[in-house]
Amino acid sequence: MSIKYNLGGRPPQSLQTQQSALFEQALRLHQQGQLAQANQIYNAILQANSRHFGALHMLGVLAYQTGHHQAACDLMAQAIAQQPKDPAPHVNRGLALGALGLREEALAHFDRAIALRADFAEAHVNRGKTLVELGRVPEALQSYDLAIATQPRMAAAHNNKGTALRTLERLDEALECYQRACALDGNYVDALLNMATLHAALGQADEALAGFDQLLALQPQHAQAHNGKGAILAQKEQWALAVPHFQAAIQSDEKLVSAHKNLGQALHALAQYAQAVPVLRKAAELQPDDLDILALLAVAQTDAGQFADALGTYDLVIWMAPDRPGLYFNRAGLHVRFNRHAQALADFMAASDMQPDNQHLFGWIANSRVHACDWSGLSADLKRCEESIRAGENNVPPFVALSLFDAPALQMQAAINRVAADFPENHSLGAISQRAPSQKIRVGYYSADFYGHATAFLMAELFEKHDRQRFEWFAFSYGPNVQDSMRERLAASFDHFIDVREHRDIDVARMSRELGIDIAVDLKGFTTDQRFGIFSHRCAPVQVSYLGYPGTTGAPYMDYVVADRVVIPEKEREFFTEKVVYLPHSYQVNDAKRRISDRVFTREELGLPSSGFVFCCFNNNYKIRPPVFDSWMRILQAVPGSVLWLFEGNASVMDNLRAEAQSRGIAGDRLVFAPRMPLDDHLARHRLADLFLDTLPYNAHTTASDALWAGLPVLTRAGQSFAARVAASLLQAVGMPELVTHTAEEYEALAIALAQDPVRLQALRDKLDAEKNQAPLFNAKQFASDIEAAYLAMHARCVQGLRPDHIEI
């Protein structure tokens, strides 16, 4: 606001001299920022002379500066009444009116000031700003040009002209104006900020950084400068360097929403998900209608494992913006985590309806259908999925392909598509060097499942049996920090247990290299919560896929897959991009320490009929496909009084499968559903089943081992792919190959025969009881020796400079 004044009124000469002295004193205090004292003197002058122009004018200026805009307008009006031909109070009243949103009235005052004094540059500049606010940008440019013509070295005129030009997308001209303003006044903070932010918008990152640094040298706590510099560093993916700048911006201006948003994004990019959540929540509190912030918050909550909170956030943002398909897709993923597959299917379908050409949804829709056992439309979905995979499109997640198709070539193509799209080989860490030979080979296991998870239940004893004389064992855990008894057991079984949840993939790979890991074993593949990017950065000289993903990863940087001759026959090796390491028995490790509860269940308390044959299948529901279900219904039809005892994975399954049974002539109540229960009790309830019926194309894996460990025979049908041959591998390793069939007819006939011949079935039970305690399948010590021999062979080839090759132990 202009500080131009004249003395008004005609008091006696002595009083005029006294008021002049007081006024000069008030002005000095005002200019020194001592506003309270200046205010007191201005008011004292007005008490003596209510028509004192200078006091009225400057008290109006002070009111404007302290945010009392209406008072400023009133005081300026009084000053104008005393000196109507002085342009300064017109300019300053225009500013106060503009602050009140009365832009047309403000414009009239600027016009009046210019009419009184055509060369009043400040009036032209403020008129231009008001015209921009009114959307009359071309007229504003004329005002700025008049200001510059009148006062060529007026930096504010050049700066404001630049902003007007930027409004018109005339960015190069705008940049020239900002640069001119900065050249005229190197300490002009607004011009420096505008120039730096425009450099950033134009993609001129280095120039933008230089501008923000120049501004921060003048004002080290400038919030927008810190935020702007942080944003440039974030664009360069220098997240760790960006974070302190966003934090500094927030410290200077805690209400700067963009700084909170940017900090949340940076922390998320650094895999510091738990820290990102409260930052983004604060941004959402500051700007609750910003859908992008809410969507980011939901993603951060999901990655932090705060799934219930994330679901609530998605519910809110979808309610606010029901037309964003990506939100439905993400919420569907959370429904999947909560085993709410019918709701997931509804969300996937909603996203598909909004984007009918989005083929990326095909695989997820089919996956939800099979999880919910909702087979309506499944045939068409399967056809679309197959066509998409064969076309080289990354639309069907590889793990979904394993469960949908018994076709090794198709499964391999789905994996190759995923790797090419999401996990291409990354050389940013440079070539990996072979560690100098030492006494121990360092082996790292990488997983999200180092707690009470199916993978841990299988592997716990192996970790305990591993040889610590020849090997040094590392666990890299990136799953939830669940402090249960299994986590405690696992942590004690490794030489080093490292929590890498909040490390990026590249940082985990770098850490692995620095620790000298010789062999990195991925236990996840493309299953839920995988971190396959760690391996794309080559975290160890030898990289191995094992256990968690029963198929090829399709990744050229994965050197080996651990298998056996049953799950990957030699003729099927062409469908694996990895070299196959054949263990002598089953590839699957087991924990013989798994406790079976002493609890004795009755049939009635588990919902089973008091009599009749009990077929069971405790596989996950997505493994139940119509052809298998058809076989089961024919088996039930042939065995009167029998029931099928299934795992209750989600609420929709019971209704859907009972309806499917009814449509095949089988009463729905012959399907009994088993809810989740602790593992030891679950193993104990197997005693009430007579025969386990396996699924195809995805066999029982851990569930087959559970059944065999509990003494329950497993009848399987072997398919073509790895996932379709696991139960056959387990049965071979437990000495019961007679329970492996190869056609639907064989499978159904043997199930019916065993149900009708209790003596034959009991003989199988007795054989299983005799075999399981000495069979290789449940001998973790032998398995440890076998897989360690495999590790030695892999390592030996590597140190000799030989390429990976098939290995047989």
Side-chain angles (χ1 to χ4, degrees):
M1 179 170 276
S2 173
I3 306 180
K4 184 170 181 68
Y5 64 90
N6 288 314
L7 296 180
R10 294 183 179 276
Q13 188 65 37
S14 60
L15 181 58
Q16 181 176 340
T17 302
Q18 180 183 4
Q19 288 177 355
S20 178
L22 284 173
F23 184 69
E24 293 294 341
Q25 180 185 1
L27 272 180
R28 286 194 299 273
L29 291 169
H30 193 162
Q31 291 166 343
Q32 292 167 5
Q34 300 182 46
L35 303 186
Q37 296 92 322
N39 180 70
Q40 185 175 4
I41 296 174
Y42 289 143
N43 278 295
I45 294 172
L46 291 174
Q47 285 180 357
N49 179 9
S50 62
R51 299 171 60 201
H52 192 285
F53 170 75
L56 287 168
H57 185 193
M58 294 313 300
L59 195 59
V61 171
L62 193 152
Y64 174 83
Q65 292 172 331
T66 55
H68 298 89
H69 300 131
Q70 187 57 59
C73 282
D74 295 341
L75 288 163
M76 294 298 177
Q78 294 179 53
I80 290 170
Q82 298 304 314
Q83 295 283 355
K85 293 187 177 182
D86 190 317
H90 285 285
V91 170
N92 291 333
R93 190 164 195 259
L95 290 171
L97 287 165
L100 291 170
L102 302 172
R103 295 186 178 90
E104 293 290 355
E105 293 88 334
L107 189 62
H109 277 281
F110 297 136
D111 287 339
R112 178 58 180 162
I114 292 168
L116 291 169
R117 180 181 156 192
D119 64 347
F120 197 167
E122 285 187 1
H124 287 293
V125 168
N126 286 309
R127 181 178 187 271
K129 289 172 65 176
T130 303
L131 287 167
V132 169
E133 291 168 357
L134 289 168
R136 294 157 61 180
V137 181
E139 294 177 66
L141 289 175
Q142 294 174 3
S143 287
Y144 293 135
D145 286 338
L146 287 170
I148 292 169
T150 300
Q151 197 171 326
R153 300 188 60 79
M154 186 179 187
H158 292 280
N159 177 61
N160 290 348
K161 181 181 178 182
T163 299
L165 289 166
R166 187 170 181 180
T167 302
L168 296 173
E169 297 293 323
R170 293 161 61 178
L171 302 184
D172 291 338
E173 296 173 75
L175 185 58
E176 291 178 5
C177 288
Y178 292 144
Q179 290 170 333
R180 177 61 176 160
C182 292
L184 290 169
D185 183 356
N187 296 330
Y188 191 175
V189 169
D190 286 348
L192 286 169
L193 179 63
N194 288 333
M195 181 176 67
T197 55
L198 183 50
H199 275 307
L202 291 169
Q204 299 166 0
D206 292 339
E207 293 85 347
L209 284 175
F212 288 127
D213 284 338
Q214 187 178 352
L215 178 49
L216 289 170
L218 292 172
Q219 292 190 10
Q221 304 305 317
H222 196 287
Q224 290 178 313
H226 277 293
N227 189 41
K229 182 174 181 179
I232 294 295
L233 294 170
Q235 289 174 10
K236 292 174 173 284
E237 296 189 1
Q238 297 176 8
W239 304 105
L241 296 177
V243 165
H245 287 287
F246 296 138
Q247 291 171 330
I250 292 169
Q251 187 174 3
S252 295
D253 182 358
E254 62 179 11
K255 293 185 178 180
L256 185 57
V257 176
S258 59
H260 289 279
K261 180 179 179 180
N262 289 338
L263 176 59
Q265 288 178 302
L267 291 170
H268 185 271
L270 289 168
Q272 297 177 23
Y273 307 125
Q275 293 92 323
V277 168
V279 174
L280 291 169
R281 186 179 291 117
K282 178 63 176 179
E285 290 173 2
L286 291 170
Q287 200 158 314
D289 59 347
D290 190 317
L291 300 177
D292 291 334
I293 291 174
L294 288 170
L296 284 170
L297 173 60
V299 171
Q301 289 169 325
T302 301
D303 290 337
Q306 300 172 18
F307 303 125
D309 290 343
L311 189 58
T313 303
Y314 277 120
D315 288 344
L316 172 61
V317 72
I318 287 173
W319 175 79
M320 295 170 65
D323 58 347
R324 293 193 176 190
L327 299 174
Y328 289 91
F329 180 85
N330 290 348
R331 186 172 70 175
L334 288 167
H335 284 314
V336 169
R337 286 186 176 275
F338 287 109
N339 286 317
R340 294 160 54 170
H341 295 285
Q343 293 93 323
L345 179 58
D347 273 351
F348 284 133
M349 293 300 293
S352 180
D353 290 342
M354 294 178 205
Q355 292 183 315
D357 295 330
N358 185 355
Q359 298 182 358
H360 184 63
L361 295 167
F362 293 169
W364 292 110
I365 289 172
N367 188 55
S368 291
R369 287 198 200 281
V370 296
H371 272 86
C373 295
D374 176 357
W375 300 328
S376 58
L378 180 59
S379 296
D381 288 337
L382 293 178
K383 182 180 179 182
R384 290 193 300 179
C385 288
E386 180 176 352
E387 291 172 350
S388 180
I389 293 171
R390 294 191 187 282
E393 299 165 347
N394 181 34
N395 296 326
V396 182
F399 186 74
V400 172
L402 295 187
S403 66
L404 296 181
F405 305 105
D406 184 20
L410 201 62
Q411 294 173 357
M412 180 176 71
Q413 188 61 54
I416 290 172
N417 296 347
R418 177 72 188 278
V419 168
D422 297 335
F423 302 107
E425 192 163 9
N426 191 310
H427 300 285
S428 57
L429 293 180
I432 192 166
S433 57
Q434 177 66 46
R435 188 168 66 95
S438 62
Q439 181 180 0
K440 295 182 180 181
I441 298 172
R442 294 177 179 172
V443 180
Y445 287 101
Y446 298 71
S447 181
D449 303 331
F450 291 120
Y451 62 101
H453 183 278
T455 299
F457 290 134
L458 290 176
M459 298 194 72
E461 190 177 6
L462 168 64
F463 299 144
E464 294 168 340
K465 297 292 187 184
H466 266 321
D467 180 358
R468 296 198 183 189
Q469 298 302 312
R470 293 182 297 173
F471 298 88
E472 189 173 358
W473 303 98
F474 295 74
F476 292 86
S477 173
Y478 48 79
N481 187 26
V482 179
Q483 297 300 318
D484 57 7
S485 58
M486 178 58 78
R487 169 62 68 89
E488 183 178 356
R489 180 184 173 189
L490 295 176
S493 67
F494 285 94
D495 296 303
H496 312 276
F497 192 93
I498 306 170
D499 188 335
V500 294
R501 283 174 301 152
E502 297 195 344
H503 293 73
R504 297 176 301 164
D505 291 350
I506 189 173
D507 295 328
V508 178
R510 182 183 292 108
M511 180 191 304
S512 301
R513 292 183 177 205
E514 292 170 352
L515 290 170
I517 301 300
D518 297 301
I519 301 173
V521 184
D522 177 29
L523 299 178
K524 292 297 293 180
F526 297 117
T527 56
T528 302
D529 296 325
Q530 55 79 21
R531 295 279 298 275
F532 206 66
I534 294 169
F535 298 88
S536 72
H537 287 91
R538 178 59 74 170
C539 62
V542 177
Q543 301 193 143
V544 183
S545 175
Y546 176 56
L547 192 64
Y549 186 73
T552 183
T553 63
Y557 44 80
M558 296 304 291
D559 303 304
Y560 296 99
V561 57
V562 177
D564 59 58
R565 286 286 180 180
V566 175
V567 293
I568 306 180
E570 190 167 332
K571 64 183 177 63
E572 301 293 328
R573 291 197 312 217
E574 65 177 300
F575 303 117
F576 285 77
T577 56
E578 307 87 352
K579 298 302 182 182
V580 181
V581 176
Y582 288 110
L583 299 185
H585 307 291
S586 177
Y587 86 103
Q588 189 190 93
V589 64
N590 271 276
D591 180 2
K593 295 181 180 180
R594 274 182 292 178
R595 177 179 175 273
I596 301 177
S597 171
D598 295 329
R599 183 175 176 183
V600 178
F601 292 97
T602 66
R603 289 171 67 118
E604 289 75 14
E605 71 180 299
L606 295 179
L608 296 168
S610 58
S611 62
F613 197 90
V614 178
F615 296 102
C616 86
C617 180
F618 292 139
N619 288 357
N620 278 312
N621 303 133
Y622 70 86
K623 298 183 180 182
I624 304 172
R625 297 286 299 286
V628 166
F629 195 75
D630 290 340
S631 288
W632 289 351
M633 295 304 99
R634 287 191 287 267
I635 292 168
L636 291 183
Q637 187 72 46
V639 183
S642 63
V643 296
L644 179 58
W645 195 14
L646 300 171
F647 173 60
E648 182 189 337
N650 62 86
S652 57
V653 161
M654 291 189 291
D655 291 339
N656 289 337
L657 286 183
R658 282 179 172 150
E660 293 289 344
Q662 293 276 13
S663 71
R664 291 163 173 79
I666 299 296
D669 60 5
R670 292 181 68 182
L671 272 58
V672 180
F673 291 88
R676 294 181 186 275
M677 61 172 52
L679 179 60
D680 58 344
D681 287 339
H682 171 62
L683 292 172
R685 69 180 168 185
H686 281 72
R687 299 186 185 110
L688 295 180
D690 296 302
L691 182 65
F692 189 109
L693 298 179
D694 196 13
T695 50
L696 194 75
Y698 203 120
N699 281 177
H701 293 189
T702 304
T703 46
S705 294
D706 287 345
L708 294 171
W709 181 241
L712 177 64
V714 175
L715 174 62
T716 191
R717 177 185 164 196
Q720 299 301 311
S721 65
F722 188 140
R725 300 177 64 83
V726 169
S729 168
L730 304 180
L731 287 164
Q732 291 280 0
V734 82
M736 302 194 72
E738 61 268 38
L739 289 173
V740 179
T741 65
H742 296 87
T743 67
E745 293 77 15
E746 288 179 13
Y747 176 83
E748 294 170 26
L750 186 51
I752 294 167
L754 291 174
Q756 294 174 341
D757 189 345
V759 174
R760 183 180 177 187
L761 182 60
Q762 186 58 50
L764 285 172
R765 282 184 172 274
D766 293 342
K767 180 181 179 182
L768 179 57
D769 285 340
E771 292 285 344
K772 72 175 187 179
N773 290 321
Q774 61 187 19
L777 183 62
F778 297 109
N779 188 336
K781 183 176 181 181
Q782 179 61 51
F783 187 92
S785 177
D786 293 339
I787 201 166
E788 287 163 6
Y791 292 153
L792 288 169
M794 298 175 202
H795 182 63
R797 291 192 64 84
C798 184
V799 297
Q800 294 170 34
L802 300 174
R803 295 175 63 83
D805 201 357
H806 302 298
I807 296 172
E808 184 151 9
I809 303 302

